[in-house]
Structure formats: structure tokens, C-alpha cells
Amino acid sequence: MKKINQLHLLLAVIMPLLYSCNAVHNLQLNTIRPAQVEYHSPSPNIVVVNNAEEPDSRQYSRYIDENNKRYRLSFDTDSVAYMMAMSLATHLYDSHIFNRVDVVFSDSSNITGSAGIDGERLSNWRLESPQDVFVVINNIKPVATMQVVPLDGMFGAELSVVSLAYLQCLVPGKEEINLVVNDTIAWHAYGETPDIARMYLPAFEECIDEAIISLSQVAADRFTPHRRIVDRYIFVTGHPAMKDAYRYWEEEKFEEASYIWEYVYKKGKDQGRRAKAAANLAIYNEIEENFAQALEYIEEAMKIFVEKNYVAEAEYASSYYQDLKKRIEENNILNNMKW
């Protein structure tokens, strides 16, 4: 089976470090992450069911004016559930994982909302479609906050939408899965008066639509293998060997760069430099999919950074170490998938 967990180098941009002779270069890696749901068969049929009531926009949404006064904010939510279901189904279809994707809109008299799908209704579904996977949208909560803030003679306006969806996933022969997904999206504008600043924001209805579409993508990622961008950092110091290694790296001579970092790590006397070389070797091995070796290098870098009180570097290495451990677990899942 062709591997689907290959890393692709996307981009490198220079960022300043705290020390005059050092630099750190941000690297974004495009990684593949597995679905959080295990299916009963390859390429099953999946049915997206809207079981959500119309959300009450006034309950939590607020407008905060330039004087910090708060007002209830209301907006039309008639199409929120429809858009969530259709957009989620579209994302699932576009994944090419499923044999068929259907959408069902429950009759208003049958909507049970947060209570979820009861056993009797599920039994009926199973009689009609015993091999289908059901993803049920039980509740959607889009919470909007619009705020105007004075800014040195001007005014800034921000509209943010925090959205949550409560989902049930019903896979034949497996235990029911309950998921909560959330997403936040925001827009900003500026003007000479509060009214002008608000005027430059996108149309409110368009923002709500965009927020629901974004939330549906987050939800779809739970059910399909998906791409995720992760940040890594290449360390460069004033030492000639570290500079030479980065020149090779810029020329995409990654193996040559790794030889120099390995030499610095094994033979170097400066502990901070050794740790940075080890952290760079972790990235090289991750790109080469030598995940176990990468984990050893970033663990060693983390130990040295902590010992030498390199606080920012230690935090980065610790975060990298945890993410890499998770990637190793996910890589095993991906390699065992038969799509």
C-alpha cells in the first residue's frame, strides 16, 4: 500500500532569536493525520443526519460598544443546521474515503437535539441500512461577539464567531462515539468612527456562513485522514559548521546538512550548540520518516536545553517531543488503513 504519511517541506522563513549570533528558521511541515473513528469496513457508506434544533443566537452573542457597554446580539439562524449538514457532507465526499455520502434532514417533529438519537430510532435505521455509518448533528452553537475599541484617534471593530457542534457517530458493530468540535474565526476592520469601523466588516450573514463552513471542516477532519500543518525550527548559530549546515539545507542538500549536525552533536563542546544540532537532526529524520530516530534526537535536545536553562528552546523541544510521539502512534494507524 502506498504510504500516505509522507512529509512535504512547504516553506522556510527567517525569524530572529534572542541571541545576536543565532537565528532560528521556521519550517512548516504538511503532515497527514488519521481519522479519529475506526470503521467496520473499507470505504463504507456514510449518512449525515441533521438532528439539531435552530440555535438561539441571543442567548450568548453580544455587541460591546466603544464604551464597553454590552448588548444582546441576535442574527438569523434558520439556515445554520442546513448549512452545517450540507457542508459536512461535502467535505466527507471530497475526501474520497467513503463509497457514498447521503444527507438526511429530520422532520421537525422528530428532532431530539441535545438528547441525541434514541435506541428505537437507531434500531429502525439499522433495519433499513445495516452497514451504513451515521454521523448525527445534535446541536450547533454559533456564538458571535462584535466589539468596538478606541485606538489612538481611530476605532477598531472585531467580529468573532466561536462555534460548537455536538455529534454522534454510529458505526455498525462498534460503540457509539460522541464528539464535540469547536472552531473560532474572526474579522477585523478600522475606521474614524465606530459606525465606519463596523461598516468595513464583512456582511454579518456572510461571516456566520463562513464560520459554519469552517466548523464543518473541523468536524470532517475527525472522520477522515486529513492534512495538518506543524511548525518546526531549524537552529543556526555563529559557529562556522552550523552556518555551513544551514547553507546545505537552503540548497536542499538535507543529507549533507545532517552530516554536519551529527558531527556537531557528537563532537561539540558547547552544550547549547549540541542541543540545537540534535533538534535539527530530529527534523531531518522526521522528514525522512525515521520517526524513532527523530524522537531520540529531540528528547536529547530537550534534556540539554532544560539542563542549561534554555527556557524558550526547552519549551519548543518539549512540545515537539509530545507531537512527535503522537505522530508515531498515528503513523501506525495510517499504515494499517486499507482505503
PDB file of all heavy atoms in Angstrom, residues 73-88:
ATOM      1  N   LEU A  73     -26.926  40.410  21.059  1.00  0.00           N
ATOM      2  CA  LEU A  73     -26.741  40.422  19.612  1.00  0.00           C
ATOM      3  C   LEU A  73     -27.516  39.251  19.029  1.00  0.00           C
ATOM      4  O   LEU A  73     -27.320  38.101  19.431  1.00  0.00           O
ATOM      5  CB  LEU A  73     -25.247  40.293  19.278  1.00  0.00           C
ATOM      6  CG  LEU A  73     -24.837  40.344  17.817  1.00  0.00           C
ATOM      7  CD1 LEU A  73     -25.190  41.693  17.203  1.00  0.00           C
ATOM      8  CD2 LEU A  73     -23.331  40.101  17.690  1.00  0.00           C
ATOM      9  N   SER A  74     -28.416  39.514  18.109  1.00  0.00           N
ATOM     10  CA  SER A  74     -29.209  38.446  17.512  1.00  0.00           C
ATOM     11  C   SER A  74     -28.979  38.410  16.005  1.00  0.00           C
ATOM     12  O   SER A  74     -28.680  39.432  15.381  1.00  0.00           O
ATOM     13  CB  SER A  74     -30.697  38.639  17.817  1.00  0.00           C
ATOM     14  OG  SER A  74     -31.176  39.824  17.226  1.00  0.00           O
ATOM     15  N   PHE A  75     -29.114  37.231  15.438  1.00  0.00           N
ATOM     16  CA  PHE A  75     -28.977  37.069  13.997  1.00  0.00           C
ATOM     17  C   PHE A  75     -29.780  35.850  13.572  1.00  0.00           C
ATOM     18  O   PHE A  75     -30.128  34.985  14.392  1.00  0.00           O
ATOM     19  CB  PHE A  75     -27.502  36.926  13.591  1.00  0.00           C
ATOM     20  CG  PHE A  75     -26.730  35.886  14.355  1.00  0.00           C
ATOM     21  CD1 PHE A  75     -26.654  34.572  13.919  1.00  0.00           C
ATOM     22  CD2 PHE A  75     -26.074  36.228  15.543  1.00  0.00           C
ATOM     23  CE1 PHE A  75     -25.945  33.616  14.626  1.00  0.00           C
ATOM     24  CE2 PHE A  75     -25.355  35.276  16.262  1.00  0.00           C
ATOM     25  CZ  PHE A  75     -25.294  33.968  15.803  1.00  0.00           C
ATOM     26  N   ASP A  76     -30.081  35.792  12.291  1.00  0.00           N
ATOM     27  CA  ASP A  76     -30.909  34.724  11.748  1.00  0.00           C
ATOM     28  C   ASP A  76     -30.132  33.414  11.760  1.00  0.00           C
ATOM     29  O   ASP A  76     -29.016  33.338  11.247  1.00  0.00           O
ATOM     30  CB  ASP A  76     -31.324  35.090  10.324  1.00  0.00           C
ATOM     31  CG  ASP A  76     -32.253  34.052   9.718  1.00  0.00           C
ATOM     32  OD1 ASP A  76     -32.752  33.193  10.468  1.00  0.00           O
ATOM     33  OD2 ASP A  76     -32.466  34.091   8.487  1.00  0.00           O
ATOM     34  N   THR A  77     -30.721  32.371  12.347  1.00  0.00           N
ATOM     35  CA  THR A  77     -30.057  31.059  12.413  1.00  0.00           C
ATOM     36  C   THR A  77     -30.851  29.973  11.678  1.00  0.00           C
ATOM     37  O   THR A  77     -30.587  28.795  11.856  1.00  0.00           O
ATOM     38  CB  THR A  77     -29.853  30.633  13.883  1.00  0.00           C
ATOM     39  OG1 THR A  77     -31.132  30.569  14.529  1.00  0.00           O
ATOM     40  CG2 THR A  77     -28.959  31.614  14.620  1.00  0.00           C
ATOM     41  N   ASP A  78     -31.821  30.398  10.861  1.00  0.00           N
ATOM     42  CA  ASP A  78     -32.678  29.420  10.179  1.00  0.00           C
ATOM     43  C   ASP A  78     -31.885  28.427   9.333  1.00  0.00           C
ATOM     44  O   ASP A  78     -32.245  27.244   9.244  1.00  0.00           O
ATOM     45  CB  ASP A  78     -33.688  30.138   9.272  1.00  0.00           C
ATOM     46  CG  ASP A  78     -34.771  30.845  10.082  1.00  0.00           C
ATOM     47  OD1 ASP A  78     -34.839  30.603  11.301  1.00  0.00           O
ATOM     48  OD2 ASP A  78     -35.529  31.635   9.499  1.00  0.00           O
ATOM     49  N   SER A  79     -30.817  28.908   8.703  1.00  0.00           N
ATOM     50  CA  SER A  79     -30.077  28.056   7.762  1.00  0.00           C
ATOM     51  C   SER A  79     -28.832  27.420   8.365  1.00  0.00           C
ATOM     52  O   SER A  79     -28.093  26.720   7.662  1.00  0.00           O
ATOM     53  CB  SER A  79     -29.676  28.879   6.531  1.00  0.00           C
ATOM     54  OG  SER A  79     -28.800  29.932   6.888  1.00  0.00           O
ATOM     55  N   VAL A  80     -28.571  27.651   9.664  1.00  0.00           N
ATOM     56  CA  VAL A  80     -27.335  27.171  10.285  1.00  0.00           C
ATOM     57  C   VAL A  80     -27.245  25.642  10.239  1.00  0.00           C
ATOM     58  O   VAL A  80     -26.226  25.074   9.815  1.00  0.00           O
ATOM     59  CB  VAL A  80     -27.215  27.690  11.734  1.00  0.00           C
ATOM     60  CG1 VAL A  80     -26.157  26.900  12.504  1.00  0.00           C
ATOM     61  CG2 VAL A  80     -26.841  29.161  11.728  1.00  0.00           C
ATOM     62  N   ALA A  81     -28.282  24.962  10.667  1.00  0.00           N
ATOM     63  CA  ALA A  81     -28.254  23.494  10.699  1.00  0.00           C
ATOM     64  C   ALA A  81     -28.155  22.921   9.282  1.00  0.00           C
ATOM     65  O   ALA A  81     -27.410  21.962   9.039  1.00  0.00           O
ATOM     66  CB  ALA A  81     -29.491  22.954  11.399  1.00  0.00           C
ATOM     67  N   TYR A  82     -28.913  23.507   8.359  1.00  0.00           N
ATOM     68  CA  TYR A  82     -28.869  23.045   6.965  1.00  0.00           C
ATOM     69  C   TYR A  82     -27.465  23.187   6.399  1.00  0.00           C
ATOM     70  O   TYR A  82     -26.923  22.253   5.787  1.00  0.00           O
ATOM     71  CB  TYR A  82     -29.865  23.843   6.129  1.00  0.00           C
ATOM     72  CG  TYR A  82     -29.804  23.523   4.649  1.00  0.00           C
ATOM     73  CD1 TYR A  82     -30.516  22.448   4.118  1.00  0.00           C
ATOM     74  CD2 TYR A  82     -29.031  24.299   3.791  1.00  0.00           C
ATOM     75  CE1 TYR A  82     -30.458  22.149   2.768  1.00  0.00           C
ATOM     76  CE2 TYR A  82     -28.961  24.013   2.437  1.00  0.00           C
ATOM     77  CZ  TYR A  82     -29.676  22.940   1.925  1.00  0.00           C
ATOM     78  OH  TYR A  82     -29.597  22.647   0.581  1.00  0.00           O
ATOM     79  N   MET A  83     -26.858  24.371   6.618  1.00  0.00           N
ATOM     80  CA  MET A  83     -25.526  24.604   6.067  1.00  0.00           C
ATOM     81  C   MET A  83     -24.490  23.683   6.707  1.00  0.00           C
ATOM     82  O   MET A  83     -23.601  23.167   6.023  1.00  0.00           O
ATOM     83  CB  MET A  83     -25.121  26.063   6.264  1.00  0.00           C
ATOM     84  CG  MET A  83     -23.721  26.381   5.780  1.00  0.00           C
ATOM     85  SD  MET A  83     -23.429  28.139   5.604  1.00  0.00           S
ATOM     86  CE  MET A  83     -24.450  28.508   4.188  1.00  0.00           C
ATOM     87  N   MET A  84     -24.613  23.441   8.006  1.00  0.00           N
ATOM     88  CA  MET A  84     -23.673  22.559   8.679  1.00  0.00           C
ATOM     89  C   MET A  84     -23.743  21.154   8.096  1.00  0.00           C
ATOM     90  O   MET A  84     -22.717  20.528   7.799  1.00  0.00           O
ATOM     91  CB  MET A  84     -23.973  22.525  10.185  1.00  0.00           C
ATOM     92  CG  MET A  84     -23.067  21.599  10.986  1.00  0.00           C
ATOM     93  SD  MET A  84     -21.360  22.189  11.040  1.00  0.00           S
ATOM     94  CE  MET A  84     -20.574  20.818  11.886  1.00  0.00           C
ATOM     95  N   ALA A  85     -24.945  20.641   7.917  1.00  0.00           N
ATOM     96  CA  ALA A  85     -25.110  19.284   7.393  1.00  0.00           C
ATOM     97  C   ALA A  85     -24.601  19.173   5.962  1.00  0.00           C
ATOM     98  O   ALA A  85     -23.867  18.230   5.617  1.00  0.00           O
ATOM     99  CB  ALA A  85     -26.581  18.870   7.467  1.00  0.00           C
ATOM    100  N   MET A  86     -24.966  20.121   5.116  1.00  0.00           N
ATOM    101  CA  MET A  86     -24.558  20.062   3.715  1.00  0.00           C
ATOM    102  C   MET A  86     -23.057  20.254   3.558  1.00  0.00           C
ATOM    103  O   MET A  86     -22.402  19.574   2.763  1.00  0.00           O
ATOM    104  CB  MET A  86     -25.316  21.120   2.913  1.00  0.00           C
ATOM    105  CG  MET A  86     -26.805  20.853   2.774  1.00  0.00           C
ATOM    106  SD  MET A  86     -27.169  19.255   1.976  1.00  0.00           S
ATOM    107  CE  MET A  86     -26.461  19.528   0.344  1.00  0.00           C
ATOM    108  N   SER A  87     -22.497  21.173   4.331  1.00  0.00           N
ATOM    109  CA  SER A  87     -21.062  21.429   4.230  1.00  0.00           C
ATOM    110  C   SER A  87     -20.259  20.242   4.757  1.00  0.00           C
ATOM    111  O   SER A  87     -19.242  19.852   4.162  1.00  0.00           O
ATOM    112  CB  SER A  87     -20.707  22.699   5.006  1.00  0.00           C
ATOM    113  OG  SER A  87     -19.347  23.030   4.836  1.00  0.00           O
ATOM    114  N   LEU A  88     -20.703  19.651   5.870  1.00  0.00           N
ATOM    115  CA  LEU A  88     -20.024  18.470   6.407  1.00  0.00           C
ATOM    116  C   LEU A  88     -20.069  17.332   5.396  1.00  0.00           C
ATOM    117  O   LEU A  88     -19.057  16.656   5.137  1.00  0.00           O
ATOM    118  CB  LEU A  88     -20.673  18.046   7.723  1.00  0.00           C
ATOM    119  CG  LEU A  88     -20.160  16.744   8.361  1.00  0.00           C
ATOM    120  CD1 LEU A  88     -18.655  16.797   8.588  1.00  0.00           C
ATOM    121  CD2 LEU A  88     -20.893  16.471   9.676  1.00  0.00           C
TER     122      LEU A  88
END
